[in-house]
């Protein structure tokens, strides 16, 4: 069985500050892990994914995430927030042979001047 | 088309009515997925298609929900006798290759259909 927990349904940061969005997973098989972003009235867009290669994954828009097996975590970070980063972020898990993504509840990121 | 297209973008219906939600995947994508997103919650898997077949319907909440896909293209999600708890955003996604190879086959999402059942 697989599951995802995103700590913090809302995160607020100042423009230029570090962004840290937390994701912990549970999986009975080696996981594939994903971060998606959803801007208002738009579909989800893939930010980055981990599929058992390098544990530090770089994605679009300056985001990156680190897979830590010992902590069962895949936290998303960005060194310096921009106003345009305000959106909802979803962490998801899958695995070899799995045909669907299991999503977390999402974290809404607000960026203020 | 350039992306996954869903229609209508918004649907308001009365309790007990049937609704049909449409998804046009990216051309050539063999796998198609339906998810439901309730307010303040994550996405909930409903069903996926490989070609026109639906090997996994495990996420459909009840027998009021059904889906079909034709021509390895358009898919329709039908909800019969809608209930207020069906109110949600219904998202469709498609991927190029086999659904079981999500390491290689990125899911591309549509903007969703927002369903409101009064």
């Amino acid at each position: 069985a697989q599951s995802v927990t995103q700590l913090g349904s809302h995160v607020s940061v100042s423009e230029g500050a570090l962004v840290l969005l937390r994701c912990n997973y549970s999986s009975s098989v080696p996981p594939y892990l994903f971060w998606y972003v959803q801007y208002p009235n738009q579909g989800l867009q893939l930010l980055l994914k981990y599929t058992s290669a390098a544990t530090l994954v770089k994605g679009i828009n300056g985001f990156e995430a680190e897979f830590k097996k010992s902590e069962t975590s895949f936290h998303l970070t960005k060194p310096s927030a921009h106003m345009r980063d305000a959106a909802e972020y979803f962490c998801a898990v899958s695995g070899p042979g799995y045909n669907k993504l299991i999503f977390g509840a999402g974290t809404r990121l607000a960026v203020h001047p | 088309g350039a992306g996954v297209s869903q229609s209508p973008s918004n649907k308001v219906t009365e309790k007990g009515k049937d609704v049909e939600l449409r998804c046009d995947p990216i051309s050539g994508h063999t796998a198609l997925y339906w998810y439901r997103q309730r307010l303040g919650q994550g996405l909930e898997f409903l069903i996926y298609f490989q070609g026109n077949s639906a090997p996994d319907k495990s996420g459909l909440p009840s027998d009021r929900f059904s889906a079909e896909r034709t021509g390895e293209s358009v898919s329709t999600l039908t909800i019969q006798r809608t209930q207020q708890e069906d109110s949600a955003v219904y998202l469709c996604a498609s991927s190029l290759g086999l659904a079981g190879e999500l390491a290689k086959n990125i899911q591309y999402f549509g903007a969703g259909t927002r369903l409101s059942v009064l």
Side-chain angles (χ1 to χ4, degrees):
Chain A
Q2 297 182 310
S3 66
V4 174
T5 302
Q6 290 184 242
L7 296 176
S9 58
H10 290 81
V11 171
S12 183
V13 301
S14 299
E15 193 172 19
L18 171 71
V19 176
L20 171 60
L21 304 182
R22 297 178 187 273
C23 173
N24 288 86
Y25 70 92
S26 173
S27 179
S28 56
V29 299
Y32 301 149
L33 294 157
F34 306 79
W35 275 99
Y36 279 84
V37 60
Q38 186 178 32
Y39 298 103
N41 300 314
Q42 296 187 28
L44 277 71
Q45 178 182 3
L46 182 68
L47 274 177
L48 49 81
K49 65 177 181 177
Y50 165 78
T51 57
S52 78
T55 57
L56 181 62
V57 181
K58 295 186 183 298
I60 62 172
N61 301 339
F63 285 92
E64 63 182 38
E66 186 172 9
F67 171 69
K68 292 187 176 180
K69 183 178 179 180
S70 61
E71 298 178 7
T72 60
S73 69
F74 191 57
H75 302 330
L76 182 71
T77 61
K78 182 173 180 177
S80 176
H82 291 272
M83 298 294 288
R84 63 177 176 264
D85 295 328
E88 187 147 22
Y89 292 80
F90 292 93
C91 182
V93 66
S94 184
Y98 278 60
N99 53 42
K100 59 192 176 188
L101 295 172
I102 304 299
F103 284 86
T107 298
R108 186 168 297 278
L109 175 66
V111 182
H112 52 84
Chain B
V4 178
S5 177
Q6 293 187 245
S7 60
S9 55
N10 284 281
K11 176 72 176 178
V12 180
T13 190
E14 294 179 351
K15 178 182 173 182
K17 300 284 190 182
D18 298 352
V19 295
E20 284 190 353
L21 312 180
R22 177 187 170 105
C23 173
D24 284 88
I26 294 173
S27 178
H29 279 197
T30 61
L32 184 148
Y33 314 77
W34 284 98
Y35 294 87
R36 178 170 70 177
Q37 184 179 19
R38 286 174 159 157
L39 186 64
Q41 298 184 27
L43 278 72
E44 174 188 6
F45 170 81
L46 298 178
I47 186 172
Y48 93 91
F49 290 88
Q50 193 67 55
N52 293 331
S53 300
D56 188 349
K57 305 180 183 180
S58 62
L60 294 178
S62 73
D63 58 8
R64 295 186 296 105
F65 287 72
S66 63
E68 66 173 12
R69 188 181 186 195
T70 57
E72 299 195 359
S73 180
V74 173
S75 176
T76 303
L77 177 69
T78 301
I79 309 174
Q80 296 178 308
R81 305 182 302 281
T82 52
Q83 304 294 313
Q84 288 183 334
E85 63 262 29
D86 299 334
S87 296
V89 176
Y90 290 82
L91 287 162
C92 176
S94 69
S95 66
L96 181 61
L98 294 175
E101 298 179 352
L102 290 176
K104 296 188 293 186
N105 296 310
I106 297 170
Q107 291 189 21
Y108 294 87
F109 283 80
T113 294
R114 183 175 299 278
L115 175 65
S116 300
V117 182
L118 304 179

